[in-house]
Amino acid sequence: MTARILVAGIGNIFLGDDGFGSEVVRNAEIPRDDPGVRVVDYGIRGMHLAYDLLDGWDTLVLVDALPSRGSPGTLHVFQADHEAPAETPAVDAHGMDPAAVFASLRALGGSPPYTVVVGCEAGSVEEGIGLTEPVANAVARAARAVEDIVEALQTPASSVSGFAAAPEEC
């Protein structure tokens, strides 16, 4: 039996680099006719993602902008920690905070699937459409990482642990 994989691009395209996830899923070359893989640009529709996660996905590949640690454009690939936060984040039907999505999912009676995050350190999340140069330069590499992760997850007895290496400069 093949794994069911949901690839979710998230972020607000009207806030500069926050639109990174949306841009990556548009560029990822993942077959859209594979019934075991679904690729969706959720934008800021966090509740939509929470409801879709109730459909029993084995893996979620979450593509998002990350707070900058001083190196905009740096890619990070890691397994999400689904431990419940000390404080439950507020639910915002028009927001996309992954912690709030997972809290909403739990409130709906579901539980988060194995989750791999492909994130890029943002340069600017000020109002405006378009990615900064370092983040735009990371899109193709992130799309390839998503493609590789999906391919590895579809291979029997595979693991994406090799993808959780050190951050990569773009």
Side-chain angles (χ1 to χ4, degrees), residues 66 75-79 116-119 142 145-146 149 160-168:
L66 303 173
L75 291 179
H76 298 270
V77 178
F78 56 93
Q79 179 180 339
V116 177
V117 177
V118 176
V146 170
I149 291 166
V160 294
S161 60
F163 295 106
E168 301 177 19

Side-chain angles (χ1 to χ4, degrees), residues 5 8 16 19 40 64 72-73 82 101 103 118 122 125 133 135 144 146 157 162 166:
I5 304 164
V40 180
D64 195 9
H82 289 301
V101 170
V118 176
V125 290
E133 185 176 351
V135 174
R144 280 193 306 278
V146 170

Side-chain angles (χ1 to χ4, degrees), residues 53-110:
L53 288 171
L54 291 172
D55 288 339
W57 297 96
D58 298 307
T59 302
L60 170 64
V61 179
L62 194 63
V63 187
D64 195 9
L66 303 173
S68 181
R69 294 182 179 155
S71 299
T74 301
L75 291 179
H76 298 270
V77 178
F78 56 93
Q79 179 180 339
D81 178 10
H82 289 301
E83 294 298 317
E87 293 181 27
T88 303
V91 175
D92 177 1
H94 301 288
M96 183 48 90
D97 174 358
V101 170
F102 296 133
S104 297
L105 175 61
R106 286 186 187 93
L108 293 167

Side-chain angles (χ1 to χ4, degrees), residues 149 151-160:
I149 291 166
E151 182 179 336
L153 288 166
Q154 291 179 312
T155 304
S158 71
S159 166
V160 294

